[in-house]
Amino acid sequence: MTVPEIIRKKADGRKITMLTAYDCLFARIVDEAGIDIILVGDSLGTVIQGHTTTLPVTMDEMIYHTRIVSRGVKNALLVADMPFMSYQASAADAVYNAGRFLKEGGAAAVKVEGGSAVGDRIKAIIAAGIPVMGHVGILPQSVHQTGGYKVQGKDEPSAEKILNDAVMLEDAGVFAVVMEGIPESLAKRITETLLIPTIGIGAGIHCDGQVLVLHDLLGLTPQPLPKFVKQYAVLRGLFADAVKRFKEDVEGGKYPGNDESYH
Ligand code: KIV
């Protein structure tokens, strides 16, 4: 899967699928299932590192996870998330850090949160030959500014701002835009306005594609989950049960049995 193929999918009216992965094992499963885009999201901070926000995630941690994910990816487009403060301070930082994802991580593209506020940094990354995916709506890296992960664009002025940001991102040259936590009607408006694909998470059915955090889809993350998550499996309970049965077997002298022992 390549950037031009992703753009072509929208033109052909074919939906785009995208999931997160943070390691090679999960990435291989997602890749072999035929998902179009694998995102090494900075959501790894909350999903697997135990942080309460994505803000503490560092460039070196993202590079490590992107590199191990890349070993499991044969077909999908591999996109890496630019973590907090890897692009905010200057265009030079943005280009240098985006370049690291391609050189050291094996990614094909990067994702950057924000609209007009980071337009010059996005243009600089694209000018360096690095494809960029935009991200509007809920911006988890701005959680302290917005006061939480609240649905964005509910009133007309903020809807207008998100639409304008998406148009600005397209003009800047991004190849796709993630729209997180916005009303379905606004997502439809943006999807109809842009030529590049929109990929929704909590943005309704009218987007050109959908993205979810893999651990949410698999039912591994603890409740409560956001309204937009659909669990396609409930693995957390299965894992807990397997671990409990192992403990009981060891404590009860039932494991290892004859079959699991060398003779
Ligand atoms: O970090 C992440 O996983 C993301 C997706 C939820 C789009 O940005």
Side-chain angles (χ1 to χ4, degrees):
M1 191 51 67
T2 62
V3 163
E5 281 174 76
I6 294 293
I7 296 171
R8 209 159 32 241
K9 282 197 103 168
K10 172 164 184 158
D12 295 348
R14 289 176 294 143
K15 292 277 186 183
I16 297 161
T17 54
M18 171 161 138
L19 287 174
T20 61
Y22 313 119
D23 62 33
C24 180
L25 175 77
F26 282 82
R28 192 162 281 151
I29 295 169
V30 172
D31 191 63
E32 287 174 357
I35 293 296
D36 296 316
I37 304 174
I38 295 183
L39 172 70
V40 185
D42 63 351
S43 53
L44 69 85
T46 51
V47 179
I48 63 165
Q49 289 182 326
H51 294 302
T52 53
T53 71
T54 58
L55 304 190
V57 177
T58 67
M59 263 309 293
D60 286 342
E61 288 164 352
M62 286 299 301
I63 293 285
Y64 168 75
H65 284 279
T66 305
R67 196 184 308 129
I68 63 173
V69 163
S70 73
R71 293 185 199 129
V73 178
K74 280 209 184 99
N75 296 308
L77 184 77
L78 179 55
V79 179
D81 232 350
M82 301 277 293
F84 181 57
M85 290 318 292
S86 68
Y87 59 93
Q88 283 87 347
S90 70
D93 275 4
V95 174
Y96 174 74
N97 286 317
R100 283 192 67 196
F101 278 116
L102 273 64
K103 280 177 86 82
E104 301 172 42
V110 297
K111 178 166 80 58
V112 177
E113 277 183 25
S116 49
V118 289
D120 62 331
R121 271 138 282 177
I122 287 174
K123 282 183 196 155
I125 298 171
I126 294 170
I130 301 168
V132 176
M133 176 180 276
H135 184 148
V136 298
I138 295 179
L139 304 176
Q141 293 177 14
S142 305
V143 60
H144 294 308
Q145 210 164 41
T146 50
Y149 304 103
K150 297 178 196 137
V151 174
Q152 300 291 302
K154 281 172 102 171
D155 55 60
E156 194 45 35
S158 66
E160 204 62 29
K161 161 97 175 74
I162 293 170
L163 172 64
N164 290 340
D165 276 344
V167 170
M168 184 286 300
L169 288 171
E170 177 168 77
D171 291 345
V174 306
F175 71 93
V177 185
V178 166
M179 305 191 295
E180 179 168 354
I182 60 171
E184 189 180 73
S185 54
L186 174 59
K188 183 169 188 280
R189 217 167 124 199
I190 297 173
T191 300
E192 287 168 357
T193 304
L194 301 188
L195 287 173
I196 54 165
T198 58
I199 302 178
I201 175 161
I205 190 72
H206 302 292
C207 310
D208 298 307
Q210 296 292 330
V211 54
L212 278 178
V213 167
L214 179 64
H215 292 58
D216 289 347
L217 171 160
L218 294 176
L220 282 169
T221 30
Q223 307 280 348
L225 291 168
K227 174 185 162 77
F228 60 78
V229 171
K230 178 167 174 180
Q231 289 187 326
Y232 287 83
V234 190
L235 297 188
R236 195 179 173 83
L238 285 180
F239 272 34
D241 185 53
V243 171
K244 274 187 211 141
R245 286 193 292 117
F246 166 75
K247 176 177 152 65
E248 281 162 16
D249 278 2
V250 171
E251 290 173 352
K254 288 193 192 149
Y255 177 82
N258 206 30
D259 288 351
E260 295 97 17
S261 302
Y262 296 108
H263 301 288

